[in-house]
Amino acid sequence: MTFLSLKTADLQGKRAFVRVDFNVPMQDGVITDDTRLRAALPTIKLLIEKGAKVILAAHFDRPKGKVVPAMSLEPIIPALAALLDKPIAFAADCVGPVAEAAVAEMKTGDVLLLENTRFQPGEEKNDPELAKGFARLADVYVNDAFSAAHRAHASTEAIAHLLPAYPGLSMAHELDYLDKALGNPTHPVMAVVGGAKVSSKIDLLQNLVSRVDILAVGGGMANTFLAARGAHVGKSLCEHDLLETARAIEAQAAANKCQILLPTDVVVAEAFAAHAPHRTCEIDDVKDQEMILDAGPKSVAALAAALETAKTLVWNGPLGAFELPPFDIGTMEAARTAAALAHSGRLVAVAGGGDTVSALNQAKVAGDFTFVSTAGGAFLEWMEGKALPGVEALKHPS
């Protein structure tokens, strides 16, 4: 199975239904971060160059199948028009007579934005009739919203079976780097997984220990693994009901010859607050009233040494309470080590997840990573080894 290529497609005069992610943060009707709009520009511009009529479809927020005026996509038009430097038409519905009339008015190279797809109750139900309504608007389908690819919705999955279907340039770029990270990586492969809870990442950990050579566990998750090994973690965030799960994951790792790296020294404090009085200690010296808030310098050095041996890195989650200085030091130093190795070409470093992106931006190294995914849930499900409906629907027999 492979994918059709937009770059080689004949799209002159064709109507292209393009699923994008325009679920951007807004405040008082003004976009506060236009990253997702910018991500769609290469695909939109390519379609314009190829003489297509570009019909943009997206969701915004969670209207739950009802028309909620405050969740209209219309306020996005000024920002998008400025980025494209051309006028953008708007259809007050995403399907049916209103949308069909707006499409009928289009000329080659025009761009039309449809209203919020989630105003339709059938969107999140992957309703085949709604998908047929979408398909009537177009000749080809393009999905450029990897961030929505883990959802089987009418505009991300069902429609892809009704028209010639292509990944957009942003989607194709993401899939290429994800394949390099876990699909067909260069070994040794290392994963760094952090965050608060093992319970939210059991599937992820179980998948990774069968795919990677080294798994470094940090953040609150590491405390559960440490407790499972018999360590005393004081008042630290720890899921004591999951100690057997942690031991099972360690056993699975051993069976797959995957080395698990856990902190050997830690930074502890009695209060979860920025600049709280703190100390660094060995893992067997945590007091009852203390909580582990970061990996210690020896642990960070061991992680850096492991990174030096790796050829591929996939990273999801911080090593400590990075939002509270000075408990951000472990995450910042590890991120800078990985970024330097990636920048020098010695490491393919792929990262994703909201906290991870924030941490890399905080360390000012996101630009040096090979690829940083902003896809959130889709990135996590991909790391868990799950098939993403929006991607599967684009596959084409080779």
Side-chain angles (χ1 to χ4, degrees), residues 150-168:
H150 59 312
R151 302 283 183 248
H153 291 172
S155 69
T156 62
E157 203 276 341
I159 184 178
H161 301 288
L162 303 176
L163 296 170
Y166 300 80

Side-chain angles (χ1 to χ4, degrees), residues 6 11 14-22 39-48 52-59 73 106 110-114 117 134 137-145 155-156 159 163 166-170:
L6 265 189
L11 300 171
K14 300 279 181 69
R15 301 166 300 163
F17 186 103
V18 188
R19 182 54 161 94
V20 289
D21 181 359
F22 285 173
L41 296 181
T43 294
I44 297 171
K45 288 177 178 178
L46 177 65
L47 292 168
I48 292 170
K53 300 172 183 178
V54 185
I55 304 159
L56 301 174
H59 75 274
L73 280 170
M106 295 179 76
D110 282 356
V111 180
L112 168 71
L113 176 64
L114 302 176
T117 58
F134 289 150
L137 301 176
D139 304 299
V140 299
Y141 171 71
V142 179
N143 191 342
D144 208 29
S155 69
T156 62
I159 184 178
L163 296 170
Y166 300 80
L169 299 184
S170 176

Side-chain angles (χ1 to χ4, degrees), residues 192-363:
V192 174
V193 179
K197 295 183 176 182
V198 170
S199 56
S200 64
K201 295 187 178 179
I202 292 173
D203 289 350
L204 169 62
L205 295 167
Q206 288 174 336
N207 183 50
L208 288 179
V209 294
S210 66
R211 307 280 290 276
V212 306
D213 304 294
I214 305 169
L215 172 63
V217 182
M221 298 172 61
N223 302 333
T224 302
F225 278 86
L226 290 166
R229 289 185 179 183
H232 177 64
V233 296
K235 287 199 309 178
S236 306
L237 177 64
C238 177
E239 293 175 289
H240 292 281
D241 58 330
L242 288 180
L243 301 191
E244 282 304 319
T245 300
R247 293 184 191 111
I249 290 169
E250 290 232 45
Q252 187 185 346
N256 285 284
K257 296 183 171 54
C258 169
Q259 177 191 359
I260 290 187
L261 277 183
L262 292 176
T264 56
D265 65 334
V266 289
V267 182
V268 297
E270 294 185 20
F272 185 79
H275 305 293
H278 57 279
R279 70 186 183 101
T280 300
C281 66
E282 299 298 306
I283 199 62
D284 59 2
D285 188 32
V286 179
K287 309 299 186 209
D288 288 349
Q289 71 277 16
E290 291 177 327
M291 61 185 87
I292 299 169
L293 295 180
D294 196 12
K298 290 181 189 173
S299 303
V300 175
L303 194 150
L307 283 169
E308 292 275 357
T309 70
K311 296 294 185 188
T312 305
L313 168 69
V314 59
W315 187 327
N316 176 256
L319 302 181
F322 79 99
E323 66 277 18
L324 302 174
F327 310 112
D328 57 344
I329 291 173
T331 301
M332 299 298 106
E333 291 191 359
R336 290 181 187 122
T337 298
L341 290 167
H343 185 71
S344 68
R346 293 167 57 194
L347 182 71
V348 172
V350 174
D355 282 349
T356 312
V357 175
S358 296
L360 297 185
N361 285 332
Q362 188 173 315

Side-chain angles (χ1 to χ4, degrees), residues 24-48:
V24 293
M26 296 190 78
Q27 192 167 354
D28 301 323
V30 178
I31 295 170
T32 56
D33 183 347
D34 66 359
T35 301
R36 287 176 168 171
L37 298 188
R38 292 180 181 276
L41 296 181
T43 294
I44 297 171
K45 288 177 178 178
L46 177 65
L47 292 168
I48 292 170

Side-chain angles (χ1 to χ4, degrees), residues 57-86:
H59 75 274
F60 183 79
D61 214 329
R62 299 176 183 274
K64 300 185 184 302
K66 294 183 173 63
V67 175
V68 181
M71 296 179 190
S72 172
L73 280 170
E74 191 169 10
I76 286 172
I77 284 182
L80 183 61
L83 289 170
L84 278 173
D85 194 23
K86 70 177 289 151

